Amino acid sequence: LQKLITDVLKINSEINSAEFEYIALDRSNIDFVVHLKNGGHVFFEIKYTEYGFGKAEKDDEHKKKFVTIYEKYLNELYCLKCKPYFDEFADHYQLYRNTIRITDKNKYVVLLYPEANKKANSEASEFCGKMKEEYKDNIRCWYWENIVEKDSELYRKYFA
Protein backbone atom coordinates (compact mmCIF):
# COMPACT_ATOMS: atom_id res chain seq x y z
CA LEU A 1 0.00 0.00 0.00
CA GLN A 2 2.86 2.39 0.80
CA LYS A 3 4.35 1.65 -2.62
CA LEU A 4 1.00 2.52 -4.26
CA ILE A 5 0.85 5.84 -2.39
CA THR A 6 4.44 6.95 -3.01
CA ASP A 7 5.43 5.27 -6.29
CA VAL A 8 2.16 5.11 -8.22
CA LEU A 9 0.19 8.07 -6.89
CA LYS A 10 3.38 10.11 -6.27
CA ILE A 11 2.20 11.34 -2.87
CA ASN A 12 5.16 12.16 -0.65
CA SER A 13 3.97 10.90 2.73
CA GLU A 14 4.06 7.79 4.82
CA ILE A 15 0.86 6.01 5.75
CA ASN A 16 -0.46 6.51 9.25
CA SER A 17 -3.45 4.12 8.98
CA ALA A 18 -6.08 2.84 6.57
CA GLU A 19 -9.67 1.67 6.85
CA PHE A 20 -12.46 0.17 4.79
CA GLU A 21 -16.01 1.59 4.81
CA TYR A 22 -14.98 4.87 6.41
CA ILE A 23 -17.98 6.89 7.59
CA ALA A 24 -17.53 10.55 6.68
CA LEU A 25 -18.99 13.63 8.40
CA ASP A 26 -21.90 13.67 5.96
CA ARG A 27 -22.66 10.09 7.13
CA SER A 28 -21.80 8.61 3.74
CA ASN A 29 -19.50 5.63 3.41
CA ILE A 30 -16.18 5.90 1.64
CA ASP A 31 -14.98 2.54 0.29
CA PHE A 32 -11.39 2.84 1.51
CA VAL A 33 -9.39 5.65 3.12
CA VAL A 34 -5.67 6.00 3.69
CA HIS A 35 -4.75 8.45 6.47
CA LEU A 36 -1.32 9.96 5.81
CA LYS A 37 1.26 11.05 8.38
CA ASN A 38 1.38 14.52 6.81
CA GLY A 39 -2.32 15.01 7.73
CA GLY A 40 -3.59 14.23 4.25
CA HIS A 41 -5.98 11.53 3.12
CA VAL A 42 -6.51 9.38 0.04
CA PHE A 43 -10.17 8.45 -0.49
CA PHE A 44 -10.88 5.52 -2.80
CA GLU A 45 -14.13 4.98 -4.69
CA ILE A 46 -13.86 1.36 -5.75
CA LYS A 47 -15.77 -0.40 -8.50
CA TYR A 48 -15.54 -4.11 -9.22
CA THR A 49 -18.59 -5.02 -11.26
CA GLU A 50 -20.93 -1.99 -11.00
CA TYR A 51 -21.39 -0.31 -14.35
CA GLY A 52 -20.52 3.36 -13.86
CA PHE A 53 -20.89 5.59 -10.82
CA GLY A 54 -24.01 6.09 -8.74
CA LYS A 55 -26.68 8.68 -9.41
CA ALA A 56 -29.34 10.01 -7.04
CA GLU A 57 -33.06 10.20 -7.64
CA LYS A 58 -34.24 13.73 -8.35
CA ASP A 59 -36.93 13.47 -5.69
CA ASP A 60 -37.78 15.63 -2.65
CA GLU A 61 -35.76 13.42 -0.27
CA HIS A 62 -32.53 13.83 -2.25
CA LYS A 63 -33.18 17.51 -2.89
CA LYS A 64 -33.55 18.03 0.89
CA LYS A 65 -30.29 16.12 1.48
CA PHE A 66 -28.59 18.28 -1.13
CA VAL A 67 -29.76 21.51 0.55
CA THR A 68 -29.19 20.44 4.17
CA ILE A 69 -25.92 18.53 3.77
CA TYR A 70 -24.07 18.77 0.47
CA GLU A 71 -24.66 22.38 -0.54
CA LYS A 72 -22.64 23.52 2.50
CA TYR A 73 -19.69 21.34 1.49
CA LEU A 74 -19.94 22.42 -2.14
CA ASN A 75 -19.95 26.11 -1.14
CA GLU A 76 -16.66 25.55 0.70
CA LEU A 77 -15.09 23.50 -2.07
CA TYR A 78 -12.38 25.23 -4.07
CA CYS A 79 -11.23 22.39 -6.35
CA LEU A 80 -14.16 22.58 -8.80
CA LYS A 81 -14.44 25.07 -11.66
CA CYS A 82 -18.04 25.79 -10.65
CA LYS A 83 -20.52 24.64 -8.04
CA PRO A 84 -23.16 22.22 -9.34
CA TYR A 85 -26.88 22.76 -9.04
CA PHE A 86 -29.06 19.94 -7.75
CA ASP A 87 -29.74 18.23 -11.10
CA GLU A 88 -26.04 18.12 -11.98
CA PHE A 89 -25.20 16.90 -8.47
CA ALA A 90 -27.82 14.13 -8.68
CA ASP A 91 -26.58 13.02 -12.11
CA HIS A 92 -23.05 12.58 -10.69
CA TYR A 93 -23.99 11.92 -7.07
CA GLN A 94 -21.30 9.41 -6.17
CA LEU A 95 -18.53 11.41 -7.86
CA TYR A 96 -19.49 14.69 -6.17
CA ARG A 97 -19.98 12.96 -2.83
CA ASN A 98 -16.37 11.78 -3.04
CA THR A 99 -14.97 15.02 -4.42
CA ILE A 100 -16.20 17.08 -1.47
CA ARG A 101 -13.37 15.41 0.47
CA ILE A 102 -10.80 17.45 -1.49
CA THR A 103 -10.73 20.38 0.90
CA ASP A 104 -7.01 21.10 0.44
CA LYS A 105 -3.99 20.00 -1.60
CA ASN A 106 -3.29 17.07 0.82
CA LYS A 107 -6.62 15.36 0.10
CA TYR A 108 -6.95 13.01 -2.86
CA VAL A 109 -9.71 10.93 -4.46
CA VAL A 110 -8.87 7.82 -6.44
CA LEU A 111 -11.53 6.37 -8.72
CA LEU A 112 -10.61 2.72 -9.16
CA TYR A 113 -12.45 0.53 -11.69
CA PRO A 114 -11.89 -2.17 -14.31
CA GLU A 115 -10.58 -0.99 -17.66
CA ALA A 116 -13.49 -2.73 -19.42
CA ASN A 117 -15.99 -0.55 -17.53
CA LYS A 118 -16.40 1.96 -20.34
CA LYS A 119 -19.21 3.82 -18.57
CA ALA A 120 -17.12 4.38 -15.42
CA ASN A 121 -14.19 5.49 -17.55
CA SER A 122 -16.33 7.94 -19.53
CA GLU A 123 -18.03 9.36 -16.43
CA ALA A 124 -14.73 9.68 -14.54
CA SER A 125 -12.95 11.36 -17.45
CA GLU A 126 -15.80 13.82 -17.95
CA PHE A 127 -15.97 14.54 -14.23
CA CYS A 128 -12.22 15.18 -13.94
CA GLY A 129 -12.72 17.98 -16.46
CA LYS A 130 -14.74 19.82 -13.79
CA MET A 131 -11.63 20.23 -11.62
CA LYS A 132 -9.63 23.45 -11.51
CA GLU A 133 -6.21 23.09 -13.09
CA GLU A 134 -4.35 23.35 -9.76
CA TYR A 135 -6.41 20.45 -8.33
CA LYS A 136 -6.25 18.07 -11.32
CA ASP A 137 -3.72 15.85 -9.48
CA ASN A 138 -6.03 15.54 -6.49
CA ILE A 139 -8.44 13.25 -8.34
CA ARG A 140 -7.07 10.20 -10.08
CA CYS A 141 -8.61 7.58 -12.34
CA TRP A 142 -6.99 4.15 -12.14
CA TYR A 143 -7.69 0.80 -13.68
CA TRP A 144 -7.56 -2.24 -11.43
CA GLU A 145 -5.48 -4.00 -14.07
CA ASN A 146 -2.66 -1.47 -13.56
CA ILE A 147 -2.26 -2.14 -9.85
CA VAL A 148 -3.32 -5.77 -9.31
CA GLU A 149 -0.79 -8.48 -10.02
CA LYS A 150 -1.89 -10.62 -12.95
CA ASP A 151 -1.27 -13.89 -11.09
CA SER A 152 -3.35 -12.85 -8.04
CA GLU A 153 -6.70 -14.37 -7.12
CA LEU A 154 -8.33 -10.93 -7.31
CA TYR A 155 -7.16 -10.46 -10.89
CA ARG A 156 -8.26 -13.95 -11.95
CA LYS A 157 -11.67 -13.57 -10.32
CA TYR A 158 -12.61 -10.11 -11.63
CA PHE A 159 -10.40 -9.12 -14.53
CA ALA A 160 -9.05 -12.16 -16.40
Side-chain angles (χ1 to χ4, degrees):
L1 185 57
Q2 183 65 58
K3 186 175 174 80
L4 174 69
I5 297 298
T6 53
D7 295 353
V8 177
L9 296 175
K10 307 287 188 215
I11 298 170
N12 190 20
S13 181
E14 290 183 28
I15 295 172
N16 189 35
S17 64
E19 58 187 299
F20 287 98
E21 293 301 326
Y22 173 79
I23 299 175
L25 293 175
D26 65 342
R27 315 249 334 125
S28 62
N29 285 23
I30 308 296
D31 292 331
F32 185 67
V33 177
V34 176
H35 305 280
L36 303 172
K37 286 190 176 178
N38 71 359
H41 299 86
V42 183
F43 302 95
F44 287 81
E45 177 59 39
I46 300 171
K47 299 292 179 201
Y48 296 105
T49 58
E50 306 102 320
Y51 192 61
F53 294 95
K55 300 179 183 325
E57 294 293 324
K58 294 179 183 177
D59 56 16
D60 289 341
E61 178 186 339
H62 284 92
K63 190 169 234 172
K64 180 179 178 186
K65 199 172 184 180
F66 175 77
V67 171
T68 60
I69 297 173
Y70 294 111
E71 202 164 38
K72 171 187 173 266
Y73 291 110
L74 291 165
N75 285 335
E76 298 169 357
L77 197 61
Y78 302 106
C79 65
L80 294 171
K81 291 177 184 173
C82 62
K83 186 185 102 174
Y85 292 101
F86 173 70
D87 285 352
E88 164 72 11
F89 182 82
D91 287 343
H92 302 284
Y93 178 71
Q94 200 168 43
L95 293 168
Y96 276 115
R97 201 182 71 197
N98 280 278
T99 304
I100 64 173
R101 316 293 165 218
I102 304 174
T103 56
D104 62 53
K105 295 295 283 175
N106 285 324
K107 308 283 188 319
Y108 302 86
V109 170
V110 176
L111 307 172
L112 185 58
Y113 49 87
E115 187 172 7
N117 192 332
K118 300 301 182 200
K119 185 171 184 186
N121 195 34
S122 173
E123 289 175 349
S125 296
E126 177 191 336
F127 189 82
C128 287
K130 299 175 186 302
M131 302 293 287
K132 289 182 180 175
E133 189 63 35
E134 62 268 27
Y135 283 94
K136 284 200 182 274
D137 286 342
N138 291 78
I139 188 165
R140 315 280 180 88
C141 301
W142 287 94
Y143 299 135
W144 272 109
E145 293 84 348
N146 292 339
I147 63 169
V148 174
E149 294 181 18
K150 300 219 183 316
D151 62 348
S152 71
E153 183 179 340
L154 180 67
Y155 187 88
R156 285 190 303 275
K157 183 174 181 179
Y158 289 104
F159 310 115

